[in-house]
């Protein structure tokens, strides 16, 4: 009898330990600092907030094998997978049976599965009352709630974005009607997914992330937040706040109002926002987790992140950096827009373009003092050469540097919050934004 | 036949190769090259890094695979980024941050194979740069000058390269010119203590011309010899006979580098014929087309048959790709636009080549090379007797029977 009690007690303990917990160490000016504990299948993993997720394409960090990925310091504990790249392979994954983490060779990583790829948004007009579509290499994959959940069952991620209608934010001016529909549909999808999850043995250890929709209509956004918060979701995804810097600014007000409605003890993710300046704006409005696709976009246009996040450098460095920063900003205003394949993004002032002739004989590392594999082993001149000769290694080395730089930035955000220095960091970043 | 029949060199120049073991049947040898950037075990396969990079894999990854020597191309690097810049970067080693050995070819082969508007004269090869249209002359002196700036451990003479399908007086002209160019390269070489200049035996598919070239070039005091002008469009039957003829007349105590050979069967046969060093773009190039090398041939991983194949490429392979990934995942990744797929295969294919050479070497040292050859052919062709005729004949010529 004693033994049975002991066993029951341990079982309960295990169940408890599987429920993840967000513990905030402090909240200052709307910014939340803390840790999410009890993550993963074994319930013993932790994640820092504010933080970011490792961006992947088809289950692999872009350009990187586990070996080169391992060279990077401070890789986030959780990686982002996209359903758009994996949905069409669900039969294979179902037959594989052991989950997508093992399939992609990342059995130790926490995994979050988003619907779409933030870098290549899909064509609008394909959401119905019954289904949402994603685009893979083989074309469109239409998913009803049951198909969506079947796919998640094959993937077995730690977290997954619930099926949702994100199209209210696609068009220029969203009608209230469209905004309302996005909220209604997303809630219906959520309730159906939750019901199916209850019936699924395989998905007991996976957490559904509820999606906040509603376009640019305040009333609908608040309704979405309140209603979604009533459901037993593990966290919230703030969808549809992306856009060009101008658009984001007008939506920031909306964002504050939304997060105010959300429970404090559950993580808030935002999709499609990844630029350093925008990240800080969102953190100040209660967002915890971000995607890390920005360093990938920078890599694809042959650029390297060089912005400083050292908000308390020594006096000598300050002088050097100030002069350096000003030089970079001046130059960027003069350059033309860089057309990049697949990304169509303009170069920012957070980066330098290694294709420029001036780097041909520059034997400095990308960023002096950077601890990444590229900066420890190679020079700007070498990267320039690789880009000019169209060599694959350019992408590998730039990705390694850009990820490391970006993860270092997030680390500095957490440090700044811990030491009450976020204002300095924000000012430093603001000065470097064009 | 046996190694003892080959003449020793007459010069007193230091030897860069130490023989560790010799097969008592065939001409296979196991050895060690002593090069400025460290020792290299032979027989060795040298992956080709053309433009100061091994395609998508880092120097650290290449080192971790056990590679101790790889190639750079003088033609490409001479144009971009150019020898002056590389010299500023402390040579090619410094520029690409490769701590081990480098071998650069002379630029001769690319000149002829890549550039349609090239013209060969006694002076050198005159050609038009594909990047800026500028006309330049690559002479023996200029080629050595560029390679001196690159600082590679082994440099190649500029040779007058003629396709192996060409016949007639042009072949003879090229052979004699290559000898004269060898002498000019030797004279122009500024760093004989830091860089080893190899001669390249030419003569096409003509036994008499080859023999003449061998006789003349082996009179020169060079640290090593390459067998050139093969691995083109010639038949395998002619190919192996020219290789065998060459190894029979090359000094025993100097390395024999067979240029442009890299298919597994060719490597094994040519080791039996007495070659020590090989290079080829094939393994790394085929990787980027989704083809993985295995003991039974290759796997075209993009094909549908691998969709649900959850085994690694090769369960016996120790490379990082095979330790972590399945054919099914690689299949998925190869159909995406993530370049990581190519890198996984590049890593594996280089590992395959290096592991093969390692196994060959061990079998020579352990005095079981003929058995190794039989086992290798059995795995590759289903049965040793199903091995291609040319290979069977080549092996027979050095005392290895497959039946």
């Amino acid at each position: 009898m004693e033994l049975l009690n002991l066993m029951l007690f341990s079982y309960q303990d295990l169940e408890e330990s599987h429920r993840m917990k967000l513990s905030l160490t402090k909240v200052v000016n709307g910014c939340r600092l803390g840790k999410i504990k009890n993550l993963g299948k074994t319930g013993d993993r932790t994640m820092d907030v504010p933080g970011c997720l490792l961006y992947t394409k088809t289950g692999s960090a872009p350009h990187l094998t586990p070996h080169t990925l391992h060279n990077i310091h401070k890789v986030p504990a959780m990686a982002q997978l996209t359903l758009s790249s994996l949905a069409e392979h669900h039969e294979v994954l179902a037959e594989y049976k052991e989950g997508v983490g093992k399939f992609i060779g990342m059995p130790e990583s926490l995994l979050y599965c988003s619907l779409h790829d933030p870098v290549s948004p899909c064509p609008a007009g394909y959401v119905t009352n019954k289904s949402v579509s994603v685009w893979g290499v083989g074309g469109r994959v239409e998913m009803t709630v049951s198909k969506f959940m079947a796919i998640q069952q094959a993937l077995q991620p730690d977290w997954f974005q619930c099926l949702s209608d994100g199209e209210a934010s696609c068009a220029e001016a969203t009608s209230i009607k469209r905004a309302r529909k996005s909220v209604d549909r997303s809630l219906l999808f959520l309730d159906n997914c939750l019901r199916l999850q209850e019936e699924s043995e395989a998905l007991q250890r996976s957490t559904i992330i509820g999606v906040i929709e509603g376009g640019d209509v305040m009333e609908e956004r608040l309704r979405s937040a309140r209603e979604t918060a009533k459901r037993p979701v593990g966290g919230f995804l703030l969808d549809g706040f992306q856009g060009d810097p101008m658009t984001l600014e007008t939506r920031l007000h909306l964002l504050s109002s939304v997060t105010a409605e959300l429970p404090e003890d559950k993580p808030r993710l935002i999709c499609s926002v990844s630029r350093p300046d925008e990240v800080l704006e969102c953190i100040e409005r209660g967002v915890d987790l971000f995607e890390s696709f920005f360093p990938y976009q920078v890599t694809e246009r042959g650029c390297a992140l060089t912005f400083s996040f050292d908000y308390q450098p020594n006096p000598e460095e300050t002088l050097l950096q100030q002069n350096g920063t000003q030089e970079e900003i001046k130059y960027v205003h003069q350059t033309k827009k860089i057309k990049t394949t697949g990304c169509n993004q303009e170069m920012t002032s957070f980066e330098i373009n290694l294709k420029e002739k001036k780097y041909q004989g520059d034997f400095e590392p990308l960023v002096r003092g950077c601890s990444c594999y590229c900066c420890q082993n190679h020079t700007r001149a070498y990267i320039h050469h690789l880009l000019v000769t169209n060599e694959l290694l350019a992408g590998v080395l730039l990705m390694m540097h850009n990820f490391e730089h970006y993860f270092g930035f997030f680390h500095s955000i957490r440090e700044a919050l811990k030491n009450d220095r976020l204002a300095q960091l924000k000012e430093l970043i603001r000065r470097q934004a064009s | 036949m046996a190694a003892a029949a080959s003449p020793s060199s007459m010069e007193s120049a230091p030897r860069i190769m130490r023989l560790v073991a010799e097969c008592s049947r065939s001409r296979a040898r196991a050895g060690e090259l002593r090069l400025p950037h460290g020792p290299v075990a032979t027989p060795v396969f040298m992956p080709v890094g053309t433009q100061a990079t091994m395609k998508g894999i880092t120097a650290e990854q290449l080192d971790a695979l056990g590679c101790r020597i790889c190639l750079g191309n003088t033609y490409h690097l001479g144009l971009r980024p150019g020898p002056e810049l590389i010299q500023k970067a402390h040579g090619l080693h410094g520029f690409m941050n490769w701590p081990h050995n480098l071998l650069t070819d002379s630029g001769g082969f690319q000149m002829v194979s890549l550039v349609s508007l090239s013209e060969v004269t006694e002076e050198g090869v005159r050609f038009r740069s594909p990047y800026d249209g500028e006309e330049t002359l690559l002479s023996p002196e200029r080629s050595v000058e560029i390679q001196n700036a690159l600082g590679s451990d082994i440099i190649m003479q500029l040779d007058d390269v003629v396709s192996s399908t060409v016949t007639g007086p042009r072949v003879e002209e090229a052979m004699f010119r290559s000898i004269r160019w060898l002498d000019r390269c030797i004279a122009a070489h500024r760093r004989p203590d830091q860089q080893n200049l190899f001669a390249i035996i030419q003569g096409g598919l003509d036994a008499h011309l080859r023999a003449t070239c061998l006789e003349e070039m082996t009179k020169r005091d060079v640290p090593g010899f390459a067998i050139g002008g093969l691995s083109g469009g010639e038949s395998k039957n002619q190919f192996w006979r020219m290789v065998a003829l060459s190894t029979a007349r090359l000094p025993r105590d100097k390395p024999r580098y067979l240029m442009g050979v890299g298919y597994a069967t060719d490597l094994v046969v040519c080791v039996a014929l007495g070659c020590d060093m090989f290079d080829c773009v094939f393994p790394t190039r085929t990787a980027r087309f989704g083809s993985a090398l295995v003991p039974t041939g290759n796997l075209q991983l993009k094909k549908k048959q691998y969709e649900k194949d959850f085994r690694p490429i090769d369960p016996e392979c120790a490379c990082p790709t095979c330790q972590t990934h399945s054919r099914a995942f690689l299949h998925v990744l190869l159909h995406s636009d993530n370049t990581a797929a190519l890198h996984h295969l590049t890593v594996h294919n280089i590992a395959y080549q290096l592991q093969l050479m390692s196994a060959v070497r061990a079998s020579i040292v352990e005095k079981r090379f003929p058995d190794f050859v039989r086992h290798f052919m059995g795995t590759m062709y289903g049965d040793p007797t199903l091995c291609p005729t040319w290979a069977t004949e080549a092996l027979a010529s050095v005392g290895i029977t497959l039946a």
Side-chain angles (χ1 to χ4, degrees):
Chain A
M1 199 56 196
E2 247 232 348
L3 189 63
L4 196 63
N5 283 335
L6 219 66
M7 282 167 67
L8 283 171
F9 180 79
S10 317
Y11 181 75
Q12 263 175 359
D13 243 39
L14 200 62
E15 259 212 332
E16 281 286 329
S17 74
H18 280 311
R19 251 172 261 151
M20 69 181 197
K21 210 169 10 192
L22 167 58
S23 313
L24 295 173
T25 28
K26 74 206 278 194
V27 181
V28 50
N29 292 335
C31 309
R32 297 141 55 88
L33 175 71
K35 288 190 194 299
I36 309 175
K37 300 179 183 157
N38 305 334
L39 289 163
K41 301 292 193 285
T42 46
D44 59 354
R45 307 290 304 280
T46 306
M47 215 158 73
D48 290 318
V49 300
C52 64
L53 312 178
L54 174 71
Y55 174 68
T56 68
K57 286 168 72 69
T58 317
S60 165
H63 304 298
L64 306 178
T65 65
H67 186 138
T68 42
L69 180 63
H70 261 96
N71 283 135
I72 303 176
H73 302 99
K74 300 196 182 79
V75 174
M78 184 177 277
Q80 171 191 9
L81 307 175
T82 60
L83 210 53
S84 51
S85 66
L86 296 169
E88 61 196 306
H89 305 295
H90 93 271
E91 253 183 56
V92 176
L93 285 155
E95 199 166 310
Y96 181 69
K97 287 186 183 50
E98 295 178 74
V100 71
K102 194 150 177 256
F103 183 72
I104 62 177
M106 298 180 82
E108 299 302 306
S109 187
L110 295 167
L111 298 170
Y112 163 68
C113 186
S114 67
L115 264 183
H116 302 294
D117 185 329
V119 172
S120 20
C122 58
Y126 287 92
V127 183
T128 71
N129 287 337
K130 291 216 155 49
S131 71
V132 174
S133 293
V134 292
W135 272 258
V137 275
R140 184 163 81 102
V141 179
E142 187 173 7
M143 300 178 293
T144 55
V145 165
S146 50
K147 176 153 187 187
F148 172 78
M149 291 303 278
I151 294 173
Q152 296 297 351
Q153 238 180 230
L155 294 173
Q156 292 160 48
D158 296 286
W159 293 1
F160 62 93
Q161 169 185 355
C162 190
L163 200 65
S164 57
D165 176 359
E167 287 187 4
S169 316
C170 283
E172 276 284 315
T174 0
S175 67
I176 298 179
K177 205 166 155 193
R178 187 63 186 87
R180 186 172 301 140
K181 211 194 293 196
S182 75
V183 177
D184 288 338
R185 276 183 181 155
S186 301
L187 286 168
L188 187 64
F189 289 149
L190 177 57
D191 288 335
N192 283 323
C193 287
L194 283 165
R195 187 177 39 82
L196 283 176
Q197 186 191 26
E198 251 176 77
E199 300 163 15
S200 163
E201 174 75 48
L203 283 174
Q204 288 313 304
R205 301 263 167 93
S206 301
T207 299
I208 293 185
I209 303 293
V211 190
I212 313 297
E213 297 290 353
D216 291 326
V217 181
M218 177 67 87
E219 198 185 307
E220 289 305 315
R221 280 285 180 186
L222 294 177
R223 183 169 73 96
S224 181
R226 287 170 192 147
E227 286 302 314
T228 309
K230 287 181 188 164
R231 275 73 170 170
V233 294
F236 304 93
L237 174 67
L238 303 153
D239 190 15
F241 289 93
Q242 67 267 23
D244 57 59
M246 271 315 293
T247 327
L248 176 68
E249 216 172 297
T250 50
R251 287 172 174 169
L252 286 174
H253 169 61
L254 217 53
L255 185 60
S256 302
S257 310
V258 167
T259 55
E261 300 293 327
L262 299 174
E264 287 185 352
D265 65 347
K266 288 183 179 176
R268 301 89 174 265
L269 296 81
I270 195 164
C271 57
S272 304
V273 173
S274 190
R275 278 175 51 130
D277 47 348
E278 296 177 351
V279 162
L280 288 173
E281 300 277 19
C282 292
I283 289 175
E284 287 183 320
R285 287 160 181 82
V287 180
D288 303 319
L289 295 167
F290 299 81
E291 299 166 322
S292 62
F293 63 87
F294 177 66
Y296 168 68
Q297 290 174 314
V298 173
T299 301
E300 293 309 281
R301 45 180 179 254
C303 296
L305 289 174
T306 52
F307 71 95
S308 171
F309 44 81
D310 187 2
Y311 56 90
Q312 34 184 46
N314 61 60
E316 247 177 65
E317 274 298 319
T318 316
L319 201 64
L320 278 167
Q321 269 186 25
Q322 273 176 353
N323 294 337
T325 307
Q326 278 161 8
E327 195 191 301
E328 294 298 344
I329 289 176
K330 248 197 288 185
Y331 192 91
V332 166
H333 286 319
Q334 289 160 26
T335 53
K336 301 200 181 99
K337 206 191 268 208
I338 295 170
K339 279 228 187 80
T340 59
T341 46
C343 294
N344 275 331
Q345 294 280 321
E346 220 177 291
M347 181 177 151
T348 67
S349 49
F350 298 115
E351 55 199 90
I352 54 173
N353 180 5
L354 270 307
K355 287 198 198 108
E356 286 171 24
K357 218 160 155 51
K358 67 179 189 176
Y359 296 115
Q360 198 180 48
D362 187 343
F363 295 113
E364 289 293 300
L366 294 175
V367 171
R368 199 188 294 135
C370 175
S371 54
C372 87
Y373 175 85
C374 182
C375 291
Q376 290 297 304
N377 288 284
H378 296 293
T379 61
R380 294 171 169 193
Y382 184 60
I383 305 296
H384 173 85
H385 163 74
L386 295 175
L387 285 166
V388 161
T389 54
N390 266 312
E391 283 287 343
L392 288 165
L393 191 62
V396 175
L397 293 176
L398 282 175
M399 191 75 264
M400 289 171 79
H401 168 79
N402 289 335
F403 265 150
E404 179 137 351
H405 196 91
Y406 194 72
F407 300 151
F409 167 60
F410 270 88
H411 177 81
S412 79
I413 297 176
R414 293 188 290 269
E415 288 297 300
L417 278 170
K418 192 159 72 177
N419 303 320
D420 291 309
R421 292 271 183 278
L422 193 72
Q424 279 95 317
L425 177 59
K426 195 176 172 201
E427 176 55 26
L428 177 60
I429 298 298
R430 192 199 60 78
R431 260 194 288 131
Q432 294 172 93
S434 57
Chain B
M1 265 270 257
S6 310
S8 257
S9 308
M10 299 166 291
E11 314 81 16
S12 57
R15 298 290 176 266
I16 63 167
M17 175 141 145
R18 179 176 74 93
L19 285 176
V20 167
E22 293 173 87
C23 176
S24 56
R25 293 220 120 242
S26 69
R27 298 180 193 172
R29 311 112 63 77
E32 191 181 78
L33 291 171
R34 274 173 315 225
L35 295 170
H37 282 83
V40 175
T42 63
V44 64
F45 175 77
M46 306 178 285
V48 181
T50 315
Q51 302 192 103
T53 158
M54 190 55 63
K55 297 305 158 183
I57 70 172
T58 64
E60 194 217 24
Q61 284 178 292
L62 192 56
D63 164 88
L65 286 170
C67 178
R68 293 294 173 263
I69 180 169
C70 63
L71 261 70
N73 282 115
T74 298
Y75 169 77
H76 292 90
L77 295 170
L79 290 172
R80 305 185 298 189
E84 295 79 18
L85 187 85
I86 292 186
Q87 195 153 38
K88 260 192 225 153
H90 307 297
L92 190 53
H93 288 89
F95 186 59
M96 59 187 286
N97 199 19
W98 174 242
H100 305 300
N101 297 291
L102 286 166
L103 185 153
T104 48
D105 68 337
S106 61
F109 180 75
Q110 271 78 35
M111 311 278 303
V112 170
S113 64
L114 292 182
V115 186
S116 48
L117 283 159
S118 71
E119 194 205 335
V120 183
T121 64
E122 186 61 25
E123 250 195 307
V125 190
R126 194 169 291 280
F127 75 114
R128 210 171 271 287
S129 161
Y131 305 116
D132 58 12
E134 234 187 81
E135 228 195 52
T136 29
L137 172 74
L138 187 69
S139 62
E141 290 76 17
R142 179 65 183 146
S143 174
V144 169
E145 187 184 4
I146 296 173
Q147 292 183 81
N148 282 156
L150 297 177
S152 35
D153 303 90
I154 298 176
I155 68 176
M156 304 305 296
Q157 71 155 111
L158 183 68
D159 49 346
D160 187 357
V161 186
V162 153
S163 163
S164 53
T165 53
V166 169
T167 53
R170 178 73 186 102
V171 184
E172 180 168 351
E173 178 193 52
M175 184 273 286
F176 280 113
R177 180 170 292 141
S178 295
I179 299 171
R180 293 192 293 277
W181 282 4
L182 171 60
D183 288 337
R184 284 166 62 182
C185 286
I186 292 171
H189 188 19
R190 294 210 196 307
R191 310 176 73 223
D193 294 330
Q194 290 115 313
Q195 298 179 274
N196 297 287
L197 172 64
F198 278 24
I200 306 179
I201 310 294
Q202 294 292 348
L205 302 172
D206 185 316
H208 180 67
L209 291 176
R210 278 243 167 221
T212 305
C213 197
L214 281 153
E215 190 179 331
E216 281 308 309
M217 286 192 174
T218 49
K219 289 178 186 165
R220 275 71 175 170
D221 183 14
V222 285
F225 295 92
I227 302 166
L230 300 173
S231 79
E234 76 278 359
S235 77
K236 275 301 205 287
N237 187 41
Q238 295 169 299
F239 160 76
W240 81 259
R241 288 174 204 282
M242 289 299 104
V243 173
L245 177 96
S246 305
T247 56
R249 289 156 200 248
L250 284 170
R252 179 177 160 273
D253 56 355
K254 290 183 176 177
R256 297 93 171 258
Y257 165 27
L258 182 55
M259 306 184 81
V261 168
Y263 292 153
T265 300
D266 300 0
L267 291 173
V268 172
V269 171
C270 292
V271 166
L273 296 179
C275 298
D276 309 302
M277 303 162 65
F278 306 88
D279 84 280
C280 194
V281 294
F282 169 69
T284 38
R285 181 173 290 168
T286 208
R288 299 194 301 283
F289 286 97
S291 173
L293 300 176
V294 290
T296 50
N298 67 78
L299 309 178
Q300 302 290 332
L301 291 173
K302 289 173 98 160
K303 292 219 159 109
K304 199 164 164 68
Q305 65 186 107
Y306 298 107
E307 204 183 28
K308 293 180 182 172
D309 192 338
F310 301 124
R311 299 171 290 174
I313 293 170
D314 179 359
E316 305 291 309
C317 179
C319 88
T321 304
C322 291
Q323 294 305 299
T324 315
H325 302 292
S326 65
R327 300 169 183 193
F329 173 63
L330 294 169
H331 173 85
V332 165
L333 204 58
L334 282 165
H335 284 285
S336 77
D337 61 353
N338 194 337
T339 68
L342 311 177
H343 311 327
H344 284 304
L345 292 194
T346 301
V347 163
H348 168 78
N349 284 0
I350 291 178
Y352 172 79
Q353 300 285 109
L354 298 183
Q355 280 166 164
L356 175 63
M357 287 290 104
S358 230
V360 163
R361 186 176 196 271
S363 76
I364 298 170
V365 168
E366 291 162 26
K367 303 189 187 318
R368 50 177 178 81
F369 177 67
D371 277 335
F372 175 89
V373 176
R374 281 185 276 270
H375 178 78
F376 171 86
M377 295 302 175
T379 309
M380 185 63 79
Y381 299 102
D383 192 90
T385 56
L386 295 175
C387 167
T389 314
W390 75 268
T392 310
E393 287 177 0
L395 292 166
S397 81
V398 288
I400 297 182
T401 49
L402 293 178

